[in-house]
Amino acid sequence: MSARDPRANVAAVGNAATHVAYEEPLLFERSRPGRIGYSLPALDVPAADPAALLGADALRAACDGLPELSEVDVVRHFTRISTWNYAVDLGLYPLGSCTMKYNPKLNEVAARLPGFAQSHPLQPTALSQGLLQLLHELERHLAEISGMDAVSLQPAAGAQGELAGVMMIRAYHESRGEKRRKVLVPDSAHGTNPASAALNGYEIVSVPSGDDGLLHPDAVAAAMSPEVACLMLTNPSTLGLFETHIAEIAKIVHAGGGLVYGDGANLNALLGIARPGDLGIDVMHFNLHKTFSTPHGGGGPGAGPVGVKGILEPFLPAPVVRRATTPEGERYFLDDERPLSIGRLHGNLGNVGMLVRAYAYVRSLGPDGLRRCAEMAVLNANYLLARLRGAYAVPYDRRVMHECVLSDAKLADAHVTTMDVAKRLIDYGYHPPTIYFPLIVPGALMIEPTESESLEGLDRFVEALLAIAREAEEDPSIVRGAPHATRLSRLDETRAARKPVLRYAPAAAEAERSRPTPRGASR
Amino acid sequence: MSARDPRANVAAVGNAATHVAYEEPLLFERSRPGRIGYSLPALDVPAADPAALLGADALRAACDGLPELSEVDVVRHFTRISTWNYAVDLGLYPLGSCTMKYNPKLNEVAARLPGFAQSHPLQPTALSQGLLQLLHELERHLAEISGMDAVSLQPAAGAQGELAGVMMIRAYHESRGEKRRKVLVPDSAHGTNPASAALNGYEIVSVPSGDDGLLHPDAVAAAMSPEVACLMLTNPSTLGLFETHIAEIAKIVHAGGGLVYGDGANLNALLGIARPGDLGIDVMHFNLHKTFSTPHGGGGPGAGPVGVKGILEPFLPAPVVRRATTPEGERYFLDDERPLSIGRLHGNLGNVGMLVRAYAYVRSLGPDGLRRCAEMAVLNANYLLARLRGAYAVPYDRRVMHECVLSDAKLADAHVTTMDVAKRLIDYGYHPPTIYFPLIVPGALMIEPTESESLEGLDRFVEALLAIAREAEEDPSIVRGAPHATRLSRLDETRAARKPVLRYAPAAAEAERSRPTPRGASR
Amino acid sequence: MRYIPHTEADVRRMLDVIGVESVEALFEDVPRGLRLGRPLEVPAAASEHEVLRELGALAARNVHAESHAWFLGAGTYAHFVPSAIDALASRAEFYTSYTPYQPEISQGTLQTIFEWQTMICALTGLEVANASMYDGASATAEAALMAMRVTRRSKVVVAGLHPHYRDVVRTYLGGAGATIEHASYGPDGRTRDLASHVDDATACVVLQSPAFLGPVEDVRAAAEAAHARGAMLVVSVAEALSLGLLRAPGELGADVVCGEAQSFGIPMGFGGPHLGFLAAREKHLRQLPGRLCGETVDAHGKRGFVLTLSTREQHIRRERATSNICTNQGLMLLRATIFLALHGAHGLTALARQNVAKAAYLRSRVAATPGLSLPFSAPVFHELVVKLAPGDTAERALARALDAGIVGGLDLAPYAPELGPALLVCATEIATRESIDRLVSALGGAAS
Amino acid sequence: MRYIPHTEADVRRMLDVIGVESVEALFEDVPRGLRLGRPLEVPAAASEHEVLRELGALAARNVHAESHAWFLGAGTYAHFVPSAIDALASRAEFYTSYTPYQPEISQGTLQTIFEWQTMICALTGLEVANASMYDGASATAEAALMAMRVTRRSKVVVAGLHPHYRDVVRTYLGGAGATIEHASYGPDGRTRDLASHVDDATACVVLQSPAFLGPVEDVRAAAEAAHARGAMLVVSVAEALSLGLLRAPGELGADVVCGEAQSFGIPMGFGGPHLGFLAAREKHLRQLPGRLCGETVDAHGKRGFVLTLSTREQHIRRERATSNICTNQGLMLLRATIFLALHGAHGLTALARQNVAKAAYLRSRVAATPGLSLPFSAPVFHELVVKLAPGDTAERALARALDAGIVGGLDLAPYAPELGPALLVCATEIATRESIDRLVSALGGAAS
Ligand SMILES: Cc1ncc(COP(=O)(O)O)c(C=O)c1O
Ligand SMILES: Cc1ncc(COP(=O)(O)O)c(C=O)c1O
């Protein structure tokens, strides 16, 4: 292979290769009239005439626009396109802030038990005692792990947990006759924080991080006022740093009558080490799809339970699961008589299937295992930082927790960007890290290895990143043109946004594909 | 892409691409002392000292040579290496004689029901009535489909079915005081036929096929003698041809006191159309992993039930499943009192998990669906033949059944062989057909599309084969050097056989890899 | 621990590279006084087999749709799930991947989303659909918020809504200063006098059809009532399967169609994870909440898909985003897309017709049973209200059904006490004639 | 039919290309008189849901290891199967592929086989292992045939063998003109006087250890007895897990080690599919039956794997092949390889030790229970014979156990009637102390 062969270094790292892959059109392009992929039992009741029952005008004859396919077609379609995805089960998936840890197979089996998967949220509670007990125990475990007093499992993801949390804060202030209008959000925060606060009608006040990347008490004090309902902070922060001033900051907010919301996305770093509830946080969410190993599913479902201190308990989403000791033993029921509750957030009790998985995870790890997660996650992140420090810029170079944030500053001379490094990593057989976040780090590469990665796995990943840094110097166009090993080369995101094509339309698809496309139009 | 780019035509056919793939060492190379991938419950009985119980000399301390891995390692290892495989769920898998039809997902669910998967072959039959009923009904369905009088589900694959069948033939003759020493096997037969007969101590007499590829009565008559225990034939034959003289041939064998064994590997072509039992066949095997959709599993497990006419029933493998009508209703039991039985072939009742799948398949298709399989399988094979006839040589060009056999005769001038065409098909996104079999066709390409393939799927496959034929003329080295799109290029099978390395040995592996390897050493 | 690969030797080597003495030292930034200093009080780790046994025992203490004949719906429906769905959704490439931020290595997920968006547009009769919401309830709340943004009005009229959806809408809209008005049902069970609730401050009418109590609503009339005052019509479909038979609400005038697609291949799962969907007209695209997947090309002009228009979203727009949603219900979207691909243009309609036939048979049996009655005459899809004999109670009727191996429906007392003792009963394609007969005789059993 | 994609339009176009009028015409080579001419008499097609319901009902009519506490072994063992195994073996790339004839597109399967061969060599203490046999019984038969080929002798002495294995050996060897001699067990339960059966015509001794009735046999002594007369020693291991603790038979003198690896992650499945294995010394490689996978390089010198030495096999060697086996138990080999990878060098031993401890506890409880007795003193792995009280019967004892929710073992009457009323009882790691206590009290219950 020549030095210009984009596969040269890749082969040296020994993690990636190319292999035959399969093209696959859209379902609609595979469709043929009359093909069938389903079966229905013979109707054992008199056939009803929907037109007579519902009026012909209310009906459609068929679902035009849906494809017609055999089961074979459908199975192959999805099997083939699945192979275009990267996945945790294929390797290191270092998306910072996302905690792409291993998703245990045991959890998948547990969640599919018919007594969980085939049960109905409205069946009488006497007939769902097993599930209610599980939910109640999971609430207790999460409360213990976080140092909170009570937990609601209803929120379907972290952002909905935030929404619930801020709502409780609002309800709390309102219950005290206070109308506070502002929420403090550090400039390093995840976008869901301000968005969730805004959904509550709050005005967002951005609090700048200090030069060391940390949130400083004086910055919070400066922003604090009687208008402030709460501070939303993330600890460890999105820079992967433990907010060392958290106790003092919480004191300042509390002194001003405000509350402290904790974004629990990074809880993995603290399991068994420290508890948000002990750090001054009044309300927080958990991302069970991060810390508690439930799979991300290509974009969900997740689960975002919310935990609160006692003062906020009356405001928890309704209903709540309760346990009662009766003459027949422990009984679980749903309590809907919650006059101060912010109300329901979910049509039912939440993403229960994910809660079952998280429960299985807590039971599998126990106290020692949970702590070991935090320890090894932090060890991994610090090891990566130590090994990459020379080749990549480290904007805030200090001890990190579960993730480290690098940048492309050193590559600027070669006109190689974080985007290029990310895409080139794909050629080396890795999913890229989170990029361009947090926003306060220009060209951020946010790397979270999680505890699931072994030393030699990290070493191979480091080799890839070091090789890319060398390539950036020696042959930057290889990096800028990446990925080279994928079925599709770099995709034109600008074009997608400028002229949105958001669904398949037969004619449009034809025209689209015959239109000459300018090479290199993508950034 | 230049004309020499091996991917050029491939892209035009639109079936294949290359994509990033993942390298993966052997389990042993991933191993690290102290890593753990299992969990055991805490021991709830007194710990036993095996050395005291069994004697220290009888024990080992640990299983040296086994790797040490975490669950994460193991999951990734097998997920990664799985992506190097082709599969029915990825596309057309035209292995002739193998009937790589779609493996319904329903069958996989059914076989995993705990009442099937977790039950024990020796539990009292009163506690296995559901399974025994299923087995009994499957026997009846197979008997009806094949026109046989009785069926044993014991054989674990086709070859074991053959073994059982020939054993019954031997037992039959012996029961009549006859010691016949020969078995007639057509030259087009699968290797298991002579091997199974030889295992029975028979001498094999090869019967030549006629110029039209068919077995002719005169050839059989010429080979027939009182020494002949049976003729083993395959209908449709391995050339994909219906043996039109079968009735007359059977008559000749029967007249000579012999029996006719039917290799049922190609039964798919006859479902609902004609029945081996009506064609003069006395005993046959089924390959449930071919005709009845059970998955091939990368080399099994299969299931090879054997069906017999009444005269052979007493010789069936023991035990057999029986039904009795009792005052409490139908009851199923195992009958082991079979004095003439050839005995057991399997430690238990056979590959029951595969039998459950086959049962689900028969129930899903019903009489019409089974016949439709045969019809569409035959339609597909004839369509392929019609479209490929121009570009590839057709040694026996006549109406075919479920498969067609081509050859590389037309490519000889270009020095392109069947092996080359097969490997080049991989670049086009297909598994190659069966090659160099049947042995009577030099350079055979034996293509069995099965009924699972759609018209447009066949058209794409035809385009690939036509493109390869063109390449063979225009740029044969591309074909000879194939595959180009795979992680590994063509493998050196000669070297593997000359100096067998059949297990991993750390030192050997090192030495092996550092040894310079002659390029182009493979054929 | 089998999920964590580190050996003690690994840990040592890594600490050396980092240059610290101990793992403990890595946590030096955590002030001592803030550390936990004791083991967590959660149960000790159990082995895989023990965990499965424990969970198996908990699972066994819930009735479910395989243990009992099933007539309980009310927003969560017992339909058959083809086996291919779980087989495909269990591919690690789908379920252990993240949101497809890096398109070159996520085309499997992205193409699926694009296919889903296309199918939801076809089913709703609208032009743009997003890549899922948490569930039908929050999708409905987000739809109302969207209408408020589009119209810059703050009143929302709701009709026919599942009471839980109503609650969630109230919760979500609390921060936006909305007022919510409920239109009630008339004697036939359908929403009445909708127009009287709509005024110039009305952002939208949110109409559920089929309504919570079963009736298929008059979407066209609702659209006229809303549009007459410049309000939008949001149609919420808590049973997406009904779209297989009923005319697309978009064709009848709905501006936004949202709802719950659990019926498309997703197990009931004690209420979640399910699958919210939301579709709208192209002109409102910039106000749409949630993720969107769009078509584009790669550097060689080959078609591919990317997440797009993320300037609407929280990670770019932050407090000015159209929603705070981030993680959504991706894997459920995959399941539903597979379901729709399997059923296709005709299968979905055929399946919907079976549901209608089962409910019609149930209705006829109820009508013929002394003691039971049908309070509403409006046509239904697969769910209807059954009034019990005077003096009977829903609890007793359900207990009789349970004795017959049947989960018989929803006790309406907490939701519609005005109906007296009544059940909401749902008959899907999985209800056999025989089980319907047994149900009806159990429910009517008070009379005997 | 959803498995068959052809539309009527497709069929028409294809017939046109072929140049025939009808599908029927394609079958013109099938003489009219030989055609069936009527629909097959199998039940009409059922929908997917109906098939699953029907099979669910059939499945529900079998007891199984999740419905009952389990002490029945006798060659098929109830062990815990880690969840990762089914997750991985359910990958379509593994289970819907064929035997890896085309190595460039089958490396996943081939590398797995190579790993399996390596691990079986490690466990047996031998040098070459094949890619599986149908089951332990046929593997044992094939091993005996192999010994006959190697030694060119025809007498086979069997000892300690599972009666079903014995039957299968007899069946397989019938065509080869072998004579089979049985060595019986002595007072401690172990094989006695083995040497007295071995003579110069003896091809091999086939010794099962642990023996069918439980005792761990003296492999070294058996090797000496066999080798003394130029015969080979075949050790058959019906419980592969015992190799996790017991010294590798190859180290003790066995020439061939074969057996059943169902315990390595394969469900009992009413007896199959299971996994036969077979290992031997390198010098006998050319006589080995079954498929072999070997290491090689590709055209660029990169390591890869292929099926090799197929000149031993039926498809090349035909009637002179070492075996007729073709399709074997590939997917079960994958499961077992995953199982061994998860358990590894130490886990397998730890698991085996738990089995020993459970059986030791069972033994101690039996010894302490009036009425029950232990006929044999030889050490066992996890299975042992329990003699019932005089006057009791195995059937009654098992019925008492069943009443207590326990499947209590194998009635030995058909297999070893000389023992009187007795059971073969197996306690694996899944047996809890509490269930062992309950079992023993149920078995001893005749006394009370
Ligand atoms: C720091 C942080 N906060 C909040 C969220 C939102 O969580 P979810 O995606 O579960 O809604 C994320 C997830 O990406 C996050 O990284
Ligand atoms: C014609 C024919 N006969 C027999 C067999 C042997 O069947 P099995 O592989 O199931 O043992 C095969 C399988 O390849 C075959 O194609």
Side-chain angles (χ1 to χ4, degrees), chain A residues 14-23 35 71 75-76 79-80 86 88-91 102 429 453 456 485-487, chain B residues 14-23 35 71 75-76 79-80 86 88-91 102 429 453 456 485-487:
Chain A
N15 185 52
T18 54
H19 191 54
V20 61
Y22 306 96
E23 295 288 0
R35 220 162 260 172
E71 183 172 320
V75 166
R76 286 191 179 157
T79 305
R80 287 165 78 110
Y86 193 80
V88 169
D89 280 7
L90 287 169
Y102 172 62
E453 300 307 317
E456 67 275 12
T486 44
R487 193 183 125 261
Chain B
N15 185 52
T18 54
H19 190 54
V20 62
Y22 306 96
E23 295 288 2
R35 221 162 259 173
E71 182 172 321
V75 166
R76 286 190 178 157
T79 305
R80 286 165 80 111
Y86 193 79
V88 169
D89 280 7
L90 288 169
Y102 172 62
E453 299 307 317
E456 68 276 12
T486 44
R487 195 182 123 261

Side-chain angles (χ1 to χ4, degrees), chain A residues 96-98 156-160 162 189-193 234 238 263-266 285-287 289-290 302-304 437, chain C residues 98 101 134 291 324-328:
Chain A
S97 208
C98 299
Q160 208 182 28
E162 293 174 24
H190 192 261
T192 49
N193 290 187
T234 309
T238 61
D263 180 328
N266 297 341
H285 75 263
F286 308 76
N287 302 70
H289 44 302
K290 300 181 181 193
F437 178 76
Chain C
Y98 202 74
Y101 289 142
Y134 300 131
R291 303 223 189 265
N324 69 333
I325 196 167
C326 178
T327 294
N328 41 86

Side-chain angles (χ1 to χ4, degrees), chain D residues 87 146 150 233:
Chain D
M146 176 180 163
V150 169
L233 175 64

